[in-house]
Amino acid sequence: MIKNILIISSEFTGHGHKSITESLCEKFSEHENVNIHIVDGFSLGGQVLLKAGKSYGPITRNAEGLWELIYDLSSIKPSLINEAIEFKIRDNFLNLLKEVTPDLILSVHPNFNGSIVNIMEKYNIKIPFITLIADLVSIYPLWADPRVDYIISPTQEAKDKCIGYGVSEEKIKVLGLPVRSRFYNHSEDENTGYDSSLPLQCLIMSGGEGVGNMSNIAEILLDNFNCKVKVIAGRNAVLKKKLEQLLVGKYGDNVEIFGFTKDVQDLMLASDVAITRGSPNVMMEAISCNVPLVITGALPGQEQGNPEYVENLNLGVICTSIKDMKTTIGDLLSNNAEKLNQIKTSQINFSNPKIAENIVNFILSVKTNPSEFVMPEINSKFIHMRKKPTWYKHLEKSKLINIHK
């Protein structure tokens, strides 16, 4: 029986890994005697890996070309990445295993799959290892290590990609991408079609890091449509200040600027359309809130296939050029918002609030391989940092979840 689960997540590489972990913890907490231990995988490698993790935000905000180069180069020889990370995390990971004694390990970040499997193989550690893919279509090779026990895939497209990387089909379970329950907390009345007699409520966002040409998009909307606009700049404080200076004075109460917010579901639920980059978690959260999507682009690498995926399922539309934004919104609103309402219907049919529950039930059904292993002599000791991740403090109240950072 599974009692202790170790989750390898990440605090600094976007917000998706954290939100996925939180969605699962909500469901794990409904099972008595199941203890969840969360570790930021980058912290296992000390300051070197922590700095690497923290560099994700600045690079993706300011140098997409550099990120694309890093992504492509690291995809050429995944085994080298695994070996390098294995070397950095080995001692701390082994000490963490001794402390937590998990019955199962779940990874929601690609950088720690092959490296951890390497360590477990070398020390003959027989603990079930599951990977949960946090991307939708364009799957990084590090997600698809054929040695893991199972891979939980969000889509058939991701499954096909994993098979192409050499993972056996029976190891891959297509269960969807989990979304936190509060994004489903709306009544059927809130899913009714858009009333074209009212101002269009527009939400502009671009993931937790806040990238994209938000000011121009907001100006096009406000200059051409009867609308109100809310903009989420994420953690990008410079962008937030800039947007306030450019927009609030000109448009007054018709525009609001937000920084990083934990209540994004409230903003989504109050919106008629969400204009965003192709971040998988942002898109799936908006779909769960039944908000039609306008996808303005995607981060090179892991997000490249997301816009087309959304458009093919009629969950949103693609608009990669600012000059086309007026036409795109106009098309959604034409014929009494026919296209906008069709997308809302498609989202209702696509959305599944039981994804996180189904994933948790599958994980808890996995058979364990109880065995003892002898801790090797190591030179360092896993030390808890005093400051715990702010993103899970509320989960600790349940006393079921321990967090390591």
Side-chain angles (χ1 to χ4, degrees), residues 356-371:
E357 179 182 348
N358 293 339
I359 290 174
V360 164
N361 288 339
F362 170 74
I363 291 171
L364 294 178
S365 73
V366 173
K367 292 183 179 180
T368 60
N369 301 306
S371 64

Side-chain angles (χ1 to χ4, degrees), residues 252-266:
D253 293 340
N254 286 329
V255 63
E256 293 181 76
I257 313 298
F258 298 84
F260 183 81
T261 175
K262 294 181 180 179
D263 299 319
V264 65
Q265 74 281 351
D266 295 334

Side-chain angles (χ1 to χ4, degrees), residues 130-293:
I130 297 176
T131 295
L132 193 160
I133 298 175
D135 294 313
L136 292 176
V137 179
S138 303
I139 303 305
Y140 196 40
L142 292 178
W143 280 121
D145 194 303
R147 299 171 296 171
V148 303
D149 293 278
Y150 293 103
I151 293 177
I152 298 173
S153 172
T155 64
Q156 182 63 42
E157 289 83 351
K159 176 181 177 179
D160 293 341
K161 194 77 171 179
C162 288
I163 292 173
Y165 286 135
V167 180
S168 59
E169 184 173 3
E170 61 270 18
K171 286 189 174 185
I172 308 169
K173 308 298 178 183
V174 180
L175 299 177
L177 191 76
V179 172
R180 292 165 289 181
S181 60
R182 58 181 177 270
F183 289 89
Y184 293 104
N185 290 338
H186 48 82
S187 66
E188 292 183 4
D189 292 340
E190 292 171 323
N191 287 328
T192 57
Y194 165 66
D195 184 350
S196 57
S197 67
L198 300 174
L200 184 71
Q201 301 293 328
C202 303
L203 179 64
I204 304 175
M205 59 191 303
S206 190
E209 300 302 334
V211 294
N213 202 343
M214 295 181 169
S215 60
N216 285 356
I217 294 173
E219 288 178 334
I220 290 171
L221 295 172
L222 291 161
D223 287 342
N224 294 281
F225 299 97
N226 176 24
C227 67
K228 292 184 179 294
V229 174
K230 294 180 175 65
V231 184
I232 302 178
R235 298 181 184 86
N236 195 335
V238 174
L239 176 62
K240 181 177 182 293
K241 184 176 180 179
K242 178 182 177 181
L243 291 170
E244 289 170 341
Q245 293 172 343
L246 290 172
L247 299 174
V248 175
K250 184 176 179 180
Y251 297 102
D253 293 340
N254 286 329
V255 63
E256 293 181 76
I257 313 298
F258 298 84
F260 183 81
T261 175
K262 294 181 180 179
D263 299 319
V264 65
Q265 74 281 351
D266 295 334
L267 297 177
M268 285 184 174
L269 289 168
S271 301
D272 298 309
V273 62
I275 302 165
T276 181
R277 195 192 80 210
S279 166
N281 282 83
V282 171
M283 295 191 310
M284 292 300 109
E285 288 168 354
I287 291 167
S288 300
C289 290
N290 197 210
V291 184
L293 290 159

Side-chain angles (χ1 to χ4, degrees), residues 1 51 55 74 113 121-122 143 148 170 184 200 206 234-235 248 261 284 287 291 297 299 312 322 328 332 347 381 389:
M1 178 180 178
K51 288 180 180 179
S55 70
S74 61
N113 300 325
E121 284 185 343
K122 289 178 181 178
W143 280 121
V148 303
E170 61 270 18
Y184 293 104
L200 184 71
S206 190
R235 298 181 184 86
V248 175
T261 175
M284 292 300 109
I287 291 167
V291 184
L299 190 66
N312 288 343
I322 292 292
T328 298
L332 290 174
Q347 288 185 342
K381 184 178 180 182

Side-chain angles (χ1 to χ4, degrees), residues 7 78 134 233 291 295:
I7 299 180
V291 184
I295 307 299

